[in-house]
């Protein structure tokens, strides 16, 4: 797999607006013919067009030149490791840009990180080991994995991440992967969608978590706490904001007067420099405004 920037690739005659990249695509289709082809593509090239070009260049599409729909473009990370089938709108170059630097330039298949052309239904790994070390499954809850191991969990999260499924349940815990890009899953329609839904009916989402906590507090009259944890830059602040926005929106539905004001007041309190007393006051105020006066007056538990 080779990736070069636009000026080098353009030297071969490719008209270029911005960067173009050289992709080497390996074939697992037949013994005859070239084992790989090299394509010069723009950064935004979609998998559909790359696949069509690869099929044409490798001459496996039949006399009329069609047949791309018989094949899949697959990203391989680590030889013998998981293989990710690219959807038509996926952009192969963007995948490459997420690879380690050494894998973004001269890149023989034997060192992993490459694209593969394979026919539909061929799920065997390049090393002939069809079981492979990982089990790729698309499950919303990691507890549903048939094999629960670090490898299967990572493979599952990776597969979901590439399908823009950044949220995954692990029992009562919600795992969130930072997409580092805008995803259209935080609008009011989604809030409405998740409002009042039974757990497990919809894809995991931070709104489902907010809704569940609020419902539990209102209906069971018991204190709730949501702990958000992760490395720096993993998305804790964003997640807290999404939670607060969701809780705020739900308060519009008339669950409790003053809840919106209290929730929005939580922003400054979420800063780590504030004292335990401020945490306590915020949660106590939230509870008093939200729960009927007959409810328990004990403070909400919290972890920070
Ligand atoms: N769900 C998301 N959707 C889109 N972008 C996100 C999401 N979560 C995080 N990001 C991106 O990642 C960046 C870092 O996230 P954030 O500031 O929430 O991390 P953090 O865990 O609070 O970091 P720190 O602990 O250093 O304060 C954000 O500025 C945003 O660009």
């Amino acid at each position: 797999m080779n990736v070069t920037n636009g000026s080098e690739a353009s030297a071969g005659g490719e008209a270029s607006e911005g960067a173009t990249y050289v992709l080497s695509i390996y074939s697992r289709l037949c013994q005859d013919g070239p084992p790989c082809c090299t394509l010069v593509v723009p950064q935004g090239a979609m998998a559909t067009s790359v696949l069509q070009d690869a099929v044409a260049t490798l001459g496996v599409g039949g006399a009329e030149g069609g047949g791309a729909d018989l094949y899949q473009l697959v990203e391989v990370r680590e030889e013998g490791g998981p293989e990710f089938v690219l959807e038509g709108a996926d952009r192969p170059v963007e995948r490459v840009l997420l690879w380690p630097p050494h894998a973004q330039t001269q890149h023989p298949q034997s060192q992993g990180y490459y694209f593969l052309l394979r026919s539909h239904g061929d799920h065997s790994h390049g090393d002939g080991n069809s079981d492979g070390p990982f089990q790729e499954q698309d499950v919303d809850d990691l507890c549903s994995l048939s094999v629960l191991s670090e490898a299967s969990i990572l493979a599952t999260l990776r597969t979901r991440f590439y399908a823009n499924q950044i949220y995954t349940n692990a029992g009562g815990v919600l795992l969130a992967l930072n997409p580092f890009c805008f995803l259209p899953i935080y609008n009011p329609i989604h809030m409405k969608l998740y409002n009042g839904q039974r757990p497990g009916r919809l894809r995991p989402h931070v709104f489902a978590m907010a809704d569940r906590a609020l419902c539990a507090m209102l209906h069971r009259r018991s204190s709730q706490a949501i702990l958000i944890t992760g490395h720096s830059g993993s998305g804790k602040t964003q997640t807290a904001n999404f939670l607060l926005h969701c809780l705020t929106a739900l308060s519009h539905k008339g669950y409790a007067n003053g809840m919106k004001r209290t929730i929005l007041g939580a922003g400054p309190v979420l800063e780590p420099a504030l004292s335990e007393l401020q945490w306590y006051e915020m949660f106590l105020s939230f509870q008093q405004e939200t729960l009927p006066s007959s409810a328990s007056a004990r403070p909400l538990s919290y972890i920070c």
Side-chain angles (χ1 to χ4, degrees):
M1 161 114 258
N2 301 328
V3 180
T4 62
N5 70 21
S7 52
E8 286 168 272
S10 301
E14 177 84 6
S16 98
E17 281 254 330
T20 55
Y21 294 79
V22 180
L23 303 182
S24 296
I25 298 171
Y26 291 81
S27 166
R28 194 198 284 161
L29 298 173
C30 53
Q31 305 305 321
D32 312 325
C36 93
C37 69
T38 303
L39 301 174
V40 180
V41 301
Q43 179 166 351
M46 291 204 275
T48 311
S49 66
V50 173
L51 178 65
Q52 281 167 352
D53 289 351
V55 167
T57 309
L58 289 165
V60 293
E64 285 84 32
D69 50 340
L70 299 175
Y71 305 112
Q72 296 173 320
L73 190 62
V74 174
E75 177 193 10
V76 181
R77 294 185 170 205
E78 300 172 59
E79 184 68 14
E83 298 180 351
F84 304 103
V85 178
L86 271 66
E87 300 291 332
D90 286 340
R91 299 175 198 276
V93 172
E94 290 181 1
R95 302 294 188 99
V96 173
L97 295 177
L98 294 173
W99 294 358
H102 76 270
Q104 295 185 16
T105 51
Q106 289 291 328
H107 190 86
Q109 184 179 16
S110 59
Q111 289 181 17
Y113 293 97
Y114 58 93
F115 288 107
L116 191 65
L117 188 70
R118 75 176 188 196
S119 56
H120 282 287
D122 173 11
H123 293 180
S124 62
H125 283 259
D127 60 358
N129 174 11
S130 60
D131 292 332
F134 303 101
Q135 291 290 321
E136 273 180 65
Q137 281 180 265
D138 184 13
V139 294
D140 283 342
D141 191 331
L142 293 177
C143 297
S144 310
L145 282 174
S146 49
V147 178
L148 197 55
S149 64
E150 185 177 337
S152 65
I153 289 172
L154 289 177
T156 301
L157 293 177
R158 199 181 289 127
T159 304
R160 291 175 63 78
F161 179 79
Y162 283 123
N164 282 340
Q165 295 294 334
I166 61 167
Y167 295 111
T168 306
N169 288 325
V173 174
L174 181 70
L175 301 178
L177 299 181
N178 188 342
F180 285 107
C181 66
F182 168 76
L183 294 179
I185 57 171
Y186 301 110
N187 54 46
I189 295 171
H190 282 83
M191 283 184 199
K192 211 170 160 189
L193 196 66
Y194 281 89
N195 185 206
Q197 283 295 333
R198 279 211 315 272
R201 288 201 65 187
L202 295 173
R203 294 275 194 188
H205 198 292
V206 67
F207 291 164
M209 179 67 83
D211 186 66
R212 213 163 72 221
L214 190 61
C215 286
M217 185 172 70
L218 290 171
H219 297 141
R220 287 192 230 137
R221 297 182 181 182
S222 64
S223 306
Q224 303 293 313
I226 298 175
L227 167 66
I228 304 173
T229 183
H231 287 292
S232 178
S234 59
K236 300 182 295 296
T237 309
Q238 287 280 357
T239 301
N241 285 339
F242 290 136
L243 274 169
L244 294 178
H245 277 293
C246 188
L247 292 168
T248 306
L250 293 177
S251 79
H252 278 301
K253 298 187 69 176
Y255 279 124
N257 291 334
M259 197 207 287
K260 182 182 174 194
R261 177 172 42 80
T262 309
I263 292 172
L264 290 177
V269 183
L270 292 173
E271 295 305 320
L274 294 180
S275 69
E276 285 219 349
L277 181 63
Q278 285 165 299
W279 277 92
Y280 174 83
E281 283 173 350
M282 196 281 287
F283 279 107
L284 191 60
S285 149
F286 180 78
Q287 187 187 44
Q288 282 168 350
E289 290 182 357
T290 307
L291 296 177
S293 53
S294 55
S296 157
R298 70 190 165 83
L300 288 164
S301 58
Y302 62 91
I303 310 170
C304 58

